[in-house]
């Protein structure tokens, strides 16, 4: 397969942006590995466009997020808070927070806004959230700025975005602000209907909540679901609310999901949802934490297998915003996302020849345990429990009935 000449690829990149993305406590340094892998395969210069990362303004962030929440994250000193959530305290709080760990900060506001546990305050937090969100918004604008006479499919990629857990006024699950929601809102300024597909191991709860009442945004989340598994939402029976009924599709799956099962989900759920809904644009979250070697040890997807599903969704042919997400084996996340971009730019025939990490990589020493192989042994001895007791059959059948209730004309 050679490069698709009818497609225009925009990649969000700058060395300064990579450094800011590296700050995320859950994935320190991952952005550098990703962009180094892409650079060492000479892909950056082959992109049709480099999308300039930029800082989101407060107005852009509050297009969805609560103003007080954003003011606190941005470390604004002139904001007074009235803590209505604590009836025992009728006073107000004039508070700021420092990004330095030894500074005395307002612990109660940190708890209120979710700045604890998996979302700690860190030095440069304000710049980080503005850069991630601003860049996803810039990617959305890259898609909406397409000339009406241009018949090329535009694809915009921000591998350092994809923070799908963040709520309207609370950080959650390594996600401080929800750049995906902000990106979808930007897309909807031009495209009436947007389809969101989430392939992360964890449920895309923040995006789902934002659009649960909408019949203009169809959300499809393929995720691990079990009692006690974060974030605890995403039961296949939940399908939206109000006029958004049936426009929320959840595939809550068991441990061990493999390439074959994911491909079946693509065929029997994701593609039929797309055909039924007929969106004008697609947003695709490509979390890498379902890969076989991810330390979460929940799913058994291969780099090639997950990449092929991502590429097939891009091949639906609509303007597509592609973002990253989870992925805690940083080297495998870099392999996956570089492979996706590589196939888009140079084609499958070229990427099939990739066998070793390029010698020009600045981080080649980190791949020594894999013998510098691009595709290391990914097999784990874990059964796909979704095939047990016809579980996947039942989930898909339930979802098919829901898809049939989507009204493409109403939407």
């Amino acid at each position: 397969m050679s490069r698709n000449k009818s497609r225009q690829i925009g990649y969000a990149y700058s060395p300064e942006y990579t450094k800011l993305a590296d700050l995320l406590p859950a994935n320190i340094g991952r952005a550098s590995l990703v962009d180094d892998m892409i650079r060492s395969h000479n892909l950056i210069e082959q992109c049709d466009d480099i999308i300039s990362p930029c800082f989101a303004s407060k107005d852009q962030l509050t297009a969805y997020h609560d103003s007080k929440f954003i003011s606190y994250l941005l470390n604004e000193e002139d904001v007074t808070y009235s803590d209505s959530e604590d009836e025992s305290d009728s006073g107000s709080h004039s508070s700021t927070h420092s990004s330095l760990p030894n500074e005395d900060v307002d612990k109660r506001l940190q708890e209120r806004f979710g700045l604890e546990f998996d979302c700690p305050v860190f030095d440069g937090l304000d710049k980080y959230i503005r850069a991630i969100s601003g860049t996803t918004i810039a990617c959305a604008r890259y898609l909406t700025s397409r000339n009406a006479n241009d018949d090329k499919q535009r694809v915009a990629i921000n591998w350092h975005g994809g923070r799908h857990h963040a709520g309207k006024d609370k950080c959650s699950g390594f996600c401080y602000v929800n750049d995906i929601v902000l990106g979808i809102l930007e897309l909807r300024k031009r495209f009436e209907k947007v389809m969101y597909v989430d392939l992360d191991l964890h449920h895309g709860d923040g995006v789902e909540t934002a659009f649960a009442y909408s019949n203009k945004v169809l959300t499809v989340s393929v995720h691990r679901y079990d009692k006690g598994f974060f974030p605890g939402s995403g039961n296949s029976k939940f399908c939206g609310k109000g006029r958004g009924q049936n426009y929320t599709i959840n595939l809550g799956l068991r441990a061990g999901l493999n390439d074959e099962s994911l491909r079946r989900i693509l065929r029997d759920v994701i593609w039929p949802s797309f055909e039924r809904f007929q969106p004008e644009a697609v947003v695709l979250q490509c979390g890498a934490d379902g890969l076989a070697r991810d330390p979460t040890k929940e799913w058994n997807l291969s780099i090639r297998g997950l990449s092929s599903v991502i590429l097939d969704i891009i091949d639906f042919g609509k303007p597509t915003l592609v973002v990253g997400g989870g992925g805690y084996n940083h080297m495998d996340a870099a392999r996956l996302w570089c492979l996706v971009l590589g196939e888009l730019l140079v084609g499958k025939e070229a990427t099939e020849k990739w066998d070793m990490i390029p010698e020009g990589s600045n981080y080649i020493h980190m791949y020594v345990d894999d013998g510098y192989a691009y595709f290391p042994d990914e097999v784990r001895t874990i059964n796909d429990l979704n095939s047990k007791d016809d579980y996947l059959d039942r989930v898909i059948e339930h979802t098919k009935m829901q898809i049939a209730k989507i009204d493409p004309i109403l939407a």
Side-chain angles (χ1 to χ4, degrees), residues 97-262:
H97 73 266
S98 168
S99 54
L100 299 175
N102 351 348
E103 292 285 339
D104 183 22
V105 294
D106 190 331
K107 297 296 182 183
R108 188 151 61 90
L109 282 179
Q110 282 194 12
E111 180 180 358
R112 171 181 169 182
F113 293 133
L115 286 161
E116 53 184 358
F117 306 123
D118 55 6
C119 290
V121 175
F122 61 88
D123 191 15
L125 172 60
D126 54 341
K127 292 180 179 178
Y128 166 82
I129 63 172
R130 291 181 62 213
I132 297 298
S133 297
T135 302
T136 294
I137 292 170
C139 286
R141 288 181 170 176
Y142 177 78
L143 301 181
T144 60
S145 65
R146 179 179 64 86
N147 189 299
N149 297 322
D150 185 359
D151 58 357
K152 285 188 176 182
Q153 178 200 11
R154 283 200 176 189
V155 179
I157 299 176
N158 177 20
W159 286 136
H160 312 315
R163 314 318 304 173
H164 61 168
H165 294 307
K168 189 179 183 72
D169 60 359
K170 197 164 188 176
C171 307
S172 177
F174 312 139
C175 304
Y176 292 84
V177 292
N178 205 311
D179 64 295
I180 299 174
V181 170
L182 297 173
I184 292 173
L185 292 175
E186 188 67 30
L187 288 175
R188 291 214 59 245
K189 292 178 180 179
R190 172 165 180 171
F191 303 118
E192 185 178 9
K193 296 193 294 183
V194 177
M195 180 177 181
Y196 172 67
V197 182
D198 193 316
L199 301 177
D200 198 275
L201 174 69
H202 300 88
H203 178 227
D205 56 334
V207 183
E208 174 182 288
T209 298
F211 300 108
Y213 287 89
S214 175
N215 59 5
K216 302 298 183 182
V217 178
L218 175 68
T219 63
V220 181
S221 181
V222 182
H223 53 269
R224 176 81 168 87
Y225 178 78
D226 202 357
K227 184 178 181 181
F229 190 80
F230 183 85
S233 55
N235 189 305
S236 298
K237 294 180 181 178
F238 181 75
C239 57
K241 298 179 179 180
R243 64 182 180 182
Q245 187 87 14
N246 298 312
Y247 293 85
T248 296
I249 295 175
N250 281 306
L251 287 102
L253 304 174
R254 294 175 174 175
L257 185 76
N258 60 27
D259 294 347
E260 182 181 356
S261 292
L262 181 60

Side-chain angles (χ1 to χ4, degrees), residues 252-311:
L253 304 174
R254 294 175 174 175
L257 185 76
N258 60 27
D259 294 347
E260 182 181 356
S261 292
L262 181 60
R263 182 145 291 282
R264 184 182 169 199
I265 290 167
L266 172 68
R267 182 193 69 209
D268 293 346
V269 175
I270 299 175
W271 172 249
S273 301
F274 172 85
E275 282 198 307
R276 182 74 179 178
F277 184 58
Q278 289 295 303
E280 297 165 75
V282 173
V283 178
L284 179 56
Q285 200 268 19
C286 307
D289 42 4
L291 293 176
R293 304 200 314 166
D294 192 89
T296 53
K297 299 184 184 301
E298 288 288 343
W299 281 355
N300 202 27
L301 301 173
S302 71
I303 292 170
R304 282 193 176 95
L306 181 51
S307 172
S308 69
V309 169
I310 292 169
L311 289 161

Side-chain angles (χ1 to χ4, degrees), residues 246 394-406:
N246 298 312
R394 287 184 279 116
V395 170
I396 289 177
E397 198 56 39
H398 167 80
T399 306
K400 283 182 175 180
M401 292 189 289
Q402 181 184 338
I403 294 170
K405 296 176 183 177
I406 293 174

